[in-house]
């Protein structure tokens, strides 16, 4: 399996950055097992080692690239896995096919979300809307 | 009565003969001496009188001479004093006239000085009045300018204070509203409401073009 395919396999099941890292760690451990397995015949061992090492390197590069498509979302509640998958699918459909979510929880925002994408953050929370309403109806000196 | 013998009588007679000349001599001597004394006395008196007359003349002459000398000296001195007094009087008169002249001159100078001072004072007063008017005018302008500046500064300070206070009140109000909203909505927002709000926020971000490549 090529590194691209391996990454797609990982991303298909991992929507958050934490899940992605976990999956990546598991894959790396498997590759390491492959790399250091002794049960292969002597002639096939070096070839398998080399292939596993290349895959390991390529996966690391892809993973680095994938983590660049990270979106930080601050929510008022902690979402269950089902809703996280839904949210991830929404992002991959509307933003980027390999996007990873970095979910954070801040109950003070009341509702909605604060989104940070490619280094820019914007507040779409209910707290922000309330603030805007208060600002628009602020007292005039 | 006593009876004397001849011899006794003779002796007495003889004695008398002897004593009689002696007595005569004594008497004569007595008178002679007396006469001599008188003569001497007369002579002495005469001499005394002569001496006295001489001395009187001498004394008179001496006294006359001394008196003349004294009188002449006195007169000379008196004349000198009189002369000096005349000089002094003349000098006093001159001084008096000079003082009168100086006084008149001084009075004239004083009058001139007074007139000059009055004129100078009037000029100075006029200048001072003009200067004072200018100063008052400048001070008034400065005061007005400073007053305007201070008024503007005070207005700015009040405005800043109002704005600061308003910002503080707004912050407090916002925090209060947030807190109230948080407390109220925390209990009332269901899970589906929360997810709905999340997707609404995502759609809003998408519509704003927040996810477009930069």
């Amino acid at each position: 399996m090529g590194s691209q395919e391996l990454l797609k396999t990982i991303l298909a099941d991992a929507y958050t950055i934490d899940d992605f890292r976990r999956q990546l760690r598991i894959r790396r451990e498997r590759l390491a097992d492959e790399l250091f397995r002794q049960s292969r015949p002597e002639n096939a061992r070096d070839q398998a080692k080399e292939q596993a090492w290349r895959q390991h390197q390529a996966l690391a590069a892809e993973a680095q690239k994938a983590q660049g498509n990270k979106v930080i979302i601050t929510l008022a509640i902690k979402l269950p896995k089902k809703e996280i998958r839904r949210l991830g699918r929404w992002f991959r459909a509307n933003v980027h096919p390999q996007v990873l979510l970095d979910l954070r929880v801040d109950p003070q925002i009341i509702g909605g979300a604060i989104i940070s994408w490619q280094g820019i953050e914007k507040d779409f929370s209910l707290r922000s809307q309330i603030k805007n309403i208060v600002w628009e109806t602020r007292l005039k000196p | 009565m006593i009876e004397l013998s001849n011899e006794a009588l003779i002796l007495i007679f003889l004695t008398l003969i002897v004593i009689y000349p002696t007595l005569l001599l004594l008497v004569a001597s007595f008178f002679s001496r007396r006469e001599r004394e008188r003569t001497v006395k007369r002579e002495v008196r005469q001499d005394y009188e002569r001496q006295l007359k001489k001395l009187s003349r001498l004394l008179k002459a001496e006294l006359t001479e001394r008196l003349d000398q004294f009188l002449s000296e006195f007169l000379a001195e008196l004349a000198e004093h009189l002369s000096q007094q005349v000089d002094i009087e003349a000098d006093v008169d001159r001084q008096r006239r000079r003082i009168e002249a100086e006084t008149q001159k001084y009075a004239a100078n004083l009058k001139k000085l007074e007139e000059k001072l009055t004129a100078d004072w009037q000029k100075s007063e006029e200048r001072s009045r003009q200067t004072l008017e200018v100063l008052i005018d400048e001070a008034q302008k400065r005061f007005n300018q400073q007053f305007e500046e201070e008024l503007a500064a005070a207005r700015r300070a009040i405005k800043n204070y109002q704005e600061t206070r308003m910002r503080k009140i707004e912050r407090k109000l916002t925090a209060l509203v947030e807190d109230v909203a948080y407390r109220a909505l925390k209990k009332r927002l269901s899970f589906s409401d929360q997810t709905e709000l999340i997707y609404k926020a995502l759609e809003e971000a998408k519509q704003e073009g927040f996810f477009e490549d930069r």
Side-chain angles (χ1 to χ4, degrees):
Chain A
M1 190 184 286
S3 60
Q4 286 281 350
E5 290 171 355
L6 187 59
L7 185 68
K8 277 182 184 174
T9 309
I10 294 170
L11 287 173
D13 201 28
Y15 291 97
T16 67
I17 195 90
D18 292 336
D19 287 343
F20 177 75
R21 283 173 184 160
R22 196 179 305 114
Q23 291 287 335
L24 197 65
R25 191 171 63 246
I26 292 164
R27 303 289 171 173
R28 279 177 175 171
E29 283 171 2
R30 281 180 190 168
L31 281 171
D33 288 345
E34 190 73 24
L35 193 62
F36 297 106
R37 195 164 62 186
Q38 301 293 325
S39 60
R40 290 178 189 278
E42 190 68 27
N43 56 353
R45 196 177 296 165
D46 291 340
Q47 194 182 349
K49 271 186 180 178
E50 192 179 343
Q51 192 182 355
W53 176 250
R54 256 190 260 115
Q55 277 189 356
H56 186 277
Q57 290 293 326
L59 186 63
E62 290 294 329
Q64 188 72 30
K65 207 189 294 179
Q67 286 186 62
N69 296 323
K70 183 177 74 174
V71 60
I72 302 169
I73 307 171
T74 307
L75 304 172
I77 55 167
K78 188 178 179 183
L79 294 177
K81 283 188 177 176
K82 184 183 170 186
E83 283 300 325
I84 291 171
R85 279 198 293 275
R86 187 183 160 203
L87 193 65
R89 281 198 291 273
W90 187 92
F91 268 95
R92 285 180 185 172
N94 292 287
V95 180
H96 193 277
Q98 290 184 339
V99 74
L100 285 168
L101 309 176
D102 185 355
L103 293 173
R104 295 170 190 186
V105 176
D106 179 8
Q108 296 293 326
I109 69 169
I110 304 170
I114 299 170
I115 306 165
S116 177
W117 171 246
Q118 292 181 344
I120 296 173
E121 185 181 272
K122 189 153 186 188
D123 194 345
F124 296 95
S125 68
L126 201 56
R127 180 179 66 180
S128 170
Q129 289 177 30
I130 291 166
K131 269 187 185 177
N132 288 336
I133 291 165
V134 173
W135 177 251
E136 283 165 8
T137 57
R138 69 187 184 279
L139 300 171
K140 299 285 188 300
Chain B
M1 197 157 166
I2 304 166
E3 289 190 2
L4 292 170
S5 62
N6 291 340
E7 292 165 333
L9 288 170
I10 297 167
L11 190 54
I12 293 170
F13 180 73
L14 287 170
T15 305
L16 285 170
I17 293 170
V18 171
I19 292 172
Y20 181 72
T22 305
L23 282 172
L24 283 174
L25 280 172
L26 283 172
V27 169
S29 173
F30 174 73
F31 281 111
S32 171
R33 193 188 299 168
R34 194 175 170 185
E35 187 62 30
R36 271 201 311 274
E37 282 178 357
R38 281 181 180 168
T39 305
V40 167
K41 278 184 180 178
R42 190 172 57 246
E43 283 176 356
V44 166
R45 190 167 54 245
Q46 286 173 352
D47 187 49
Y48 173 74
E49 284 174 356
R50 275 198 311 274
Q51 289 294 333
L52 191 62
K53 282 179 182 175
K54 188 182 175 184
L55 280 172
S56 293
R57 278 196 310 273
L58 284 172
L59 189 62
K60 188 180 177 183
E62 181 72 22
L63 282 172
T64 304
E65 188 183 352
R66 286 191 179 185
L67 190 62
D68 287 344
Q69 190 181 353
F70 172 75
L71 280 171
S72 63
E73 285 175 0
F74 175 73
L75 287 170
E77 196 173 346
L78 188 64
E80 191 180 350
H81 278 292
L82 284 170
S83 172
Q84 283 178 356
Q85 192 174 357
V86 168
D87 289 345
I88 287 166
E89 281 178 358
D91 192 38
V92 166
D93 193 45
R94 275 199 308 278
Q95 292 292 338
R96 187 178 56 76
R97 282 197 299 275
R98 193 176 65 76
I99 287 166
E100 283 176 1
E102 289 290 328
T103 307
Q104 285 176 356
K105 195 176 170 185
Y106 175 75
N109 285 337
L110 195 66
K111 194 176 178 184
K112 282 181 185 173
L113 186 66
E114 192 179 350
E115 287 170 356
K116 189 173 180 301
L117 278 173
T118 306
D120 286 350
W121 171 252
Q122 284 172 351
K123 283 180 186 174
S124 175
E125 194 179 8
E126 182 63 24
R127 278 201 302 272
S128 298
R129 192 181 59 76
Q130 288 173 355
T131 309
L132 195 63
E133 281 176 0
V134 170
L135 283 174
I136 287 168
D137 195 38
E138 285 178 0
Q140 185 70 35
K141 282 178 185 171
R142 275 206 302 275
F143 174 77
N144 287 339
Q145 189 181 353
Q146 197 174 353
F147 179 75
E148 290 295 331
E149 286 172 358
E150 285 183 4
L151 189 65
R155 280 178 179 157
R156 280 198 301 276
I158 290 167
K159 194 179 174 187
N160 287 338
Y161 176 75
Q162 274 183 332
E163 285 175 355
T164 308
R165 291 293 301 168
M166 289 302 290
R167 277 198 294 273
K168 279 184 182 175
I169 290 166
E170 279 167 10
R171 276 201 294 273
K172 283 184 180 175
L173 190 63
T174 307
L176 186 67
V177 171
E178 279 177 29
D179 189 52
V180 170
Y182 173 69
R183 286 171 192 275
L185 295 173
K186 186 183 169 186
K187 292 175 182 174
R188 292 189 182 176
L189 285 175
S190 65
F191 183 78
S192 61
D193 293 333
Q194 284 286 358
T195 52
E196 191 181 336
L197 285 169
I198 291 165
Y199 284 103
K200 193 180 168 188
L202 295 176
E203 290 296 335
E204 189 184 340
K206 186 185 168 188
Q207 281 177 5
E208 281 184 13
F210 182 73
F211 298 115
E212 286 175 6
D213 287 333
R214 299 179 179 98

